[in-house]
Every structure is written in C-alpha cells, then in structure tokens.
Amino acid sequence: MHPHIEQLLHETWTQLHQLYSKEQRRIDEINHHSPLQAGFRDYVHVGYQMGRAGMNASSRQAGKCFVEIEEPFSWSNTAYTWESEVERESLTSSLLEQEFMPTFREQLHELFLSDQYGKRMFDYRLEFKLAFASEQTDERYVYGETFINPVKLTSLQQALQSFIEQKIYAEPPVLPNERDLHFFANLLLNKDMVPTDVQTLAPLFEQVDQKLFEFRTQYERWQSTSSMALKFWANDVFLPQYFDSEHEYTTERTLRQEVTAEEVDPHELDMFLYAAMRIGKQDAEQRKIYLHYAVQLHSQQAALYVKQGSGNIEHERKNEYITAKANDVLQQMSITLESEEEASYREALTYICDVLEQGFPREYKLKFSSKQKNALPLKRLAKSPLHRFFANAMQYPNLYPLLATYGEKVMQEFAWYQDVEPGEKSVMPGTYAILGLGLYSRDYFPLLRRYMQLVDTEHQSAHNSYAAAFVETHGLDEQTLPVLLYILLGSGQSAKTVKGLGDQIMQQQEWIQLVAEQLRALEDHEREWVLYLLFGNASKQKAFLKQGGL
C-alpha cells in the first residue's frame, strides 16, 4: 500500500475512533432507549474540503481533511477537521479509488456490523460517503454506498410489528409513549419497514388518532409528530424524485421536464395525497402546495380536489341572491352577495348550513367582501372576512334563529376556524355567530352557555374581553349573573380581572348572594379562577367571601 494512503487511513481512523468513543459515552448515559430505534448513527462522510477564499480572488486558506458522523443540514457544518500530513495533491484519483476507498470501506463495514462501540451505536443502515476535492484542479473523487445490517433490520421489523400489536391496537389503558411514537411515525414511512401504501399506512395513523383523542396533550403532540414525519417523507424522499429545488434556502420546486405520468409510482403518489390531506388539518397552506405538486405529477384526484373538493358536497349554488362556492378539501368557501339585504344573508347562511350537513369541515376560511364593515365589540377578535360576514348578518334580527342553528352545527371542541394564521386570534368554529347572538339577544343565553363550556380555555384567548362587553350590553340581574359566571369560566388562561365588575356586584346584597350560590357549585380551582376575574386582589376577594357567607 502506498505510504500516503497508509498515513491517511491512520489519521482518518484516529479521528473516527475519537468521535465514536465520545458518542458511546453519551449513548451509555441515556437511560431510556426506544425499541423502535436500532441505533443512533447512520451516516459517515470522509474527505478533503477546500479552504475558504481569502479577501481577494487570488488568495485562499489551506484546505483540511474532515469526517462527519451526522448528516448536516444544508445551512450547517458538522464536520470535524484536521490538517493532514499528506498533501492533497499527492492523493491521485487512482490511489483514492484503488487503495484508500476499498480498504476504508472494508474496515468501516466491519465496524458497522460489530458491537465494538455498543449495540446501539449504529442504526440498521449506514450511509457512507467519500468526497476529496482538489485545491489545484477541478478534479474531485466521490464515492457513496449504503450498508445494511440484516440482523438489525430483521430485529427492527419485528420490534415494529410487536409495537403495533401491543401498543397501537391494544385496548386502553395501554398507551404508546411520545418518544416511541416519534420513531413509529418515521418507521411507517420507511420502505425497509412498511410498503409505501395508503391502504396499509392510513389505518395505522388513524388508529393512533382514535386512541389518543381523549388525551389532548398526547393527541396534539402526535398530530405534530406525524405531520413532521409525513413532511420529511414528502420533502426529502418523494418530491426530490421528480422536482428540483430552486434554491437550498427556499421550499419552491420545479418539475423536471422529462417526468411523465408513467414514471410516477402510483402508490407513492396516493401516499403523497394522503400526506397532503393529513398535514392540511394543521397546515392548510402546506396542503395546498402539496396538491399543486400532485397536479403537476398528473394526479387526476389532486386536480379534482383543487377544482371542486371531494365531490361529496354541493360545490356551488347560484341564485338571484348569492353566488356561493365551497371546497371541502381546501377548507375554503366564497360568497358573493347579489344585493346587501336580509334575503341574501339568509340564502348564504342556508347554503353554509347545508354544506355542513353534507360534511363540509367546520374549520374553514371564507372569502367574502361587502360594503358593510360591521364587527363585534370585542377588541381582540380578528377583523377577518368570516367575522365581518357574521357581524353583518347580526344586523337582521329575523336571521337570529338561523344563526343559532349554524352555531349549533359548527361548534366543535379543539377545532379552529382557518380565517387567521394559527395563534392568539384563532377561535373555535361558531365563535362569531354565538358571541354575537349572546350580545344581541337574551334568547340565546343557553347557546352562549354551551359555547363557554366547550371552548378551549388553554389555547383560545381572543374572547377574553367578552365578559366586559356582555355586562356593558346587558347589565347585571338575576338572568345575566349566572351566564356571566359561565363566561368567566370560559375565559382563556391569559384573561385579566374585569375592571369594575366586582365593585358592581358588591353594591347589592342580592347580587352577592346570587354569585355566592353559583360559586358553591364549582370545583375549588374554578372558584378561585372566577374570584380572581371578578375581584382581583385578595382583600377584595376576602370581603366578598365574608359577605357571601363562603
């Protein structure tokens, strides 16, 4: 063997062994290992990188040899470098190809199959790359290969099957933990583990949905975890087969001209559509982008989705009062009024209620324009087209029963309108109609009460000013005080004490006793929350409790 190759092999393995020894110590300190993780490392990159350019075109820093054991992001560099005793220009392509590569490959493969650094050092697969740039010429030696450990592969396949049987399909109270679900979601999208087929994968994703639905924290984390796994598969596995990225720092892609419908794997395309639909529950814009790509890949189903939705609802209604369209896949609706009058809003509301009955999602976005710019007297509500539509409809008292019907149909816990970007102004479906009815008519206090019992106080805060608006509109009396307590209980966790409200209550003994009676029926934490919103500081709360006999 050429002495320069011997020296380079010695240096490279010295660096690698140092890295793996350090990594082994880190892995050994991890107490809980998932059965769905065969190992921690699946990447090795070795080579020579050119030095950075200097201040002027003619100067350049000296290059260095490097090793990487973790695949970097496009914007990061995880390489460990050293200055080799071997000059790069003495390493010809023939030496690298005929002596360095075969020897290093054999040694690495042997290490990969061994347990020299513990059973959990390597995953069942290892991506191996060589890349030696040249300082003086455009010559570049590159080699790549993926190793598979068949024993670990079989073991991981068996672990996945056992996990599905014992954790996913097992009856409650057995629940999978969050760490295992992370690996589970990614393994489902790994061809080595499970065929990329919607008929096989969709039931597994949805079984976890169903199992965790009542456990909201775990359910939300699973939705995020599964969406991230699907996005990774879509962006890093599926789309690169057919599209070129326009720039490494953007997500825009351009279809390769030579791609034909026959070249696209129909099973993977169906899976991509499923990913788009599932991700769209949390990210409607990403779903729209994916459907656009699927259309370019000649998916007739995607084209149908974009044009008119699933086909299961009345896509369009047009008469002398309105032109309305609904797309249940994109969760979008558009309404154009032919005239600004009660009959037009009645027709629009009737259409919305009809498509909801047909399966249109409660979480939707509305395209609507009107010369009327009404809004509910709540500062934190988004001034969205959806908000304006319902605020405008509120100007016609004859429509209140229809608005209440809509509110009953569309209310859903842990669901959100799509009229704003997810955040502090997101609200539960039905919010604009029901909060409006609660201000405009006492007839709908029971509906308002049900809304407040259903609203997600942990994640919704845009309705926090409703208590003040309610009291300003209706005042305090025997009918409003019980409703007010439900409004306070339904306030978001960031709500503040309602200014002056406690002082008003303390003005009449009748009101004090009525509030005290309502508080007795609450849990301790609920009582404390309402007292804070009503009175604020401890001294005022104490005075109320004394007069109320609590």
Side-chain angles (χ1 to χ4, degrees):
M1 180 179 291
H2 195 285
H4 287 171
I5 297 298
E6 285 188 309
Q7 177 64 30
L8 183 61
L9 283 168
H10 172 73
E11 292 177 357
T12 304
W13 277 111
T14 297
Q15 296 293 328
L16 269 175
H17 284 309
Q18 289 177 355
L19 292 175
Y20 283 142
S21 295
K22 181 179 179 181
E23 184 68 1
Q24 182 184 19
R25 291 191 294 271
R26 184 187 72 84
I27 294 171
D28 288 343
E29 292 176 356
I30 299 175
N31 295 323
H32 302 289
H33 296 282
S34 171
L36 302 181
Q37 184 182 23
F40 285 79
R41 290 297 167 208
D42 62 359
Y43 182 82
V44 175
H45 190 189
V46 173
Y48 181 90
Q49 60 187 17
M50 295 174 60
R52 294 181 180 179
M55 296 298 292
N56 57 66
S58 61
S59 65
R60 176 180 291 277
Q61 298 177 5
K64 293 182 179 181
C65 288
F66 71 90
V67 295
E68 285 179 307
I69 62 172
E70 180 177 2
E71 187 170 9
F73 296 105
S74 61
W75 41 264
S76 67
N77 184 353
T78 61
Y80 294 82
T81 63
W82 76 95
E83 294 183 4
S84 175
E85 295 183 11
V86 181
E87 290 290 335
R88 168 62 184 93
E89 301 313 315
S90 67
L91 300 172
T92 64
S93 293
S94 60
L95 279 176
L96 291 169
E97 181 178 4
Q98 296 172 18
E99 295 196 28
F100 183 84
M101 186 278 290
T103 306
F104 185 80
R105 179 200 176 282
E106 182 180 352
Q107 293 172 344
L108 181 63
H109 187 252
E110 182 180 345
L111 177 65
F112 169 64
L113 295 179
S114 76
D115 293 331
Q116 180 176 338
Y117 288 103
K119 294 183 180 297
R120 293 190 173 274
M121 173 61 72
F122 294 111
D123 197 0
Y124 78 91
R125 68 192 299 277
L126 181 69
E127 185 179 359
F128 161 47
K129 293 182 177 181
L130 294 178
F132 285 83
S134 172
E135 295 281 7
Q136 306 300 328
T137 69
D138 292 334
E139 182 182 349
R140 180 179 176 87
Y141 176 73
V142 177
Y143 176 82
E145 184 179 354
T146 298
F147 300 147
I148 297 292
N149 185 327
V151 175
K152 280 193 172 184
L153 173 59
T154 300
S155 178
L156 188 58
Q157 290 169 335
Q158 293 172 347
L160 176 60
Q161 187 58 42
S162 296
F163 183 80
I164 291 171
E165 294 171 359
Q166 298 173 14
K167 295 292 185 178
I168 302 303
Y169 282 109
E171 294 295 327
V174 177
L175 295 175
N177 67 49
E178 183 179 351
R179 179 178 175 81
D180 288 341
L181 284 176
H182 165 78
F183 294 109
F184 172 71
N186 285 280
L187 288 181
L188 287 185
L189 296 161
N190 183 337
K191 279 184 176 180
D192 294 338
M193 298 294 142
V194 184
T196 307
D197 180 77
V198 173
Q199 305 304 319
T200 301
L201 298 181
L204 291 169
F205 278 103
E206 288 155 22
Q207 170 64 17
V208 182
D209 290 349
Q210 181 180 346
K211 190 163 190 176
L212 297 182
F213 186 75
E214 295 182 2
F215 305 91
R216 294 311 302 180
T217 299
Q218 293 95 319
Y219 177 81
E220 290 172 6
R221 288 174 179 169
W222 162 245
Q223 295 305 306
S224 177
T225 294
S226 58
S227 290
M228 287 178 62
L230 287 164
K231 285 181 181 179
F232 176 83
W233 174 81
N235 294 335
D236 288 49
V237 178
F238 178 75
L239 289 174
Q241 298 177 80
Y242 313 108
F243 292 85
D244 292 320
S245 295
E246 295 190 4
H247 192 282
E248 63 178 344
Y249 299 110
T250 70
T251 58
E252 296 179 7
R253 300 174 186 267
T254 303
L255 182 70
R256 299 191 192 106
Q257 293 183 355
E258 67 272 15
V259 175
T260 64
E262 291 73 21
E263 293 178 85
V264 181
D265 186 319
H267 296 292
E268 289 193 350
L269 183 55
D270 286 345
M271 188 63 211
F272 181 63
L273 282 179
Y274 176 79
M277 301 300 288
R278 184 177 178 86
I279 291 167
K281 295 177 181 178
Q282 292 186 305
D283 189 344
E285 185 60 29
Q286 185 65 68
R287 173 177 52 202
K288 186 177 180 180
I289 292 171
Y290 282 168
L291 288 176
H292 172 68
Y293 290 145
V295 169
Q296 294 183 66
L297 293 174
H298 315 285
S299 169
Q300 295 181 356
Q301 184 64 67
L304 184 64
Y305 283 162
V306 171
K307 183 177 181 181
Q308 65 179 45
S310 68
N312 297 325
I313 67 167
E314 183 184 354
H315 170 60
E316 183 175 9
R317 182 179 295 180
K318 186 173 184 178
N319 55 37
E320 60 182 302
Y321 298 105
I322 63 168
T323 297
K325 295 181 180 180
N327 186 312
D328 56 337
V329 171
L330 299 181
Q331 296 176 229
Q332 295 177 351
M333 185 182 299
S334 66
I335 293 175
T336 302
L337 305 181
E338 300 302 327
S339 57
E340 192 76 33
E341 58 179 311
E342 179 181 311
S344 298
Y345 283 95
R346 181 180 297 279
E347 286 294 319
L349 284 166
T350 300
Y351 175 69
I352 296 173
C353 289
D354 287 348
V355 295
L356 284 168
E357 285 286 348
Q358 296 162 14
F360 186 77
R362 295 175 173 89
E363 302 171 287
Y364 66 94
K365 180 179 182 179
L366 177 67
K367 182 179 180 180
F368 169 75
S369 61
S370 170
K371 294 180 180 180
Q372 298 295 322
K373 303 296 182 182
N374 293 297
L376 299 179
L378 302 170
K379 295 180 181 179
R380 298 183 67 181
L381 286 185
K383 299 300 188 290
S384 67
L386 195 62
H387 178 179
R388 288 197 297 274
F389 172 81
F390 286 105
N392 286 355
M394 287 288 163
Q395 307 310 306
Y396 305 101
N398 290 334
L399 297 182
Y400 291 175
L402 187 53
L403 285 163
T405 298
Y406 166 80
E408 293 279 11
K409 288 180 183 293
V410 81
M411 269 195 301
Q412 182 178 338
E413 190 176 17
F414 308 122
W416 310 94
Y417 276 138
Q418 299 293 318
D419 60 326
V420 296
E421 290 295 321
E424 63 179 13
K425 293 194 175 184
S426 298
V427 293
M428 183 173 73
T431 293
Y432 306 121
I434 297 170
L435 295 190
L437 288 171
L439 293 178
Y440 281 85
S441 173
R442 294 189 175 211
D443 293 340
Y444 300 98
F445 282 0
L447 176 61
L448 177 61
R449 173 175 168 173
R450 290 196 295 277
Y451 172 91
M452 291 299 173
Q453 290 174 307
L454 199 62
V455 71
D456 183 354
T457 58
E458 183 177 351
H459 296 102
Q460 182 173 316
S461 60
H463 65 301
N464 281 353
S465 62
Y466 192 72
F470 180 83
V471 173
E472 183 177 351
T473 301
H474 296 294
L476 297 179
D477 56 42
E478 292 183 358
Q479 188 180 12
T480 60
L481 274 170
V483 179
L484 176 61
L485 261 64
Y486 277 98
I487 294 171
L488 295 175
L489 282 171
S491 298
Q493 293 181 351
S494 60
K496 305 297 182 182
T497 302
V498 182
K499 186 176 181 180
L501 183 53
D503 294 336
Q504 285 185 260
I505 291 173
M506 294 294 286
Q507 291 174 5
Q508 293 195 32
Q509 187 64 31
E510 178 185 1
W511 293 349
I512 294 173
Q513 293 304 320
L514 185 56
V515 173
E517 182 181 347
Q518 297 290 320
L519 290 177
R520 288 189 182 96
L522 301 180
E523 299 288 339
D524 289 345
H525 70 280
E526 294 176 326
R527 188 180 305 114
E528 291 174 2
W529 177 235
V530 171
L531 285 171
Y532 165 73
L533 293 177
L534 285 175
F535 301 103
N537 64 58
S539 61
K540 288 186 177 182
Q541 291 184 34
K542 186 176 181 180
F544 167 79
L545 292 172
K546 181 177 181 180
Q547 292 196 44
L550 293 175

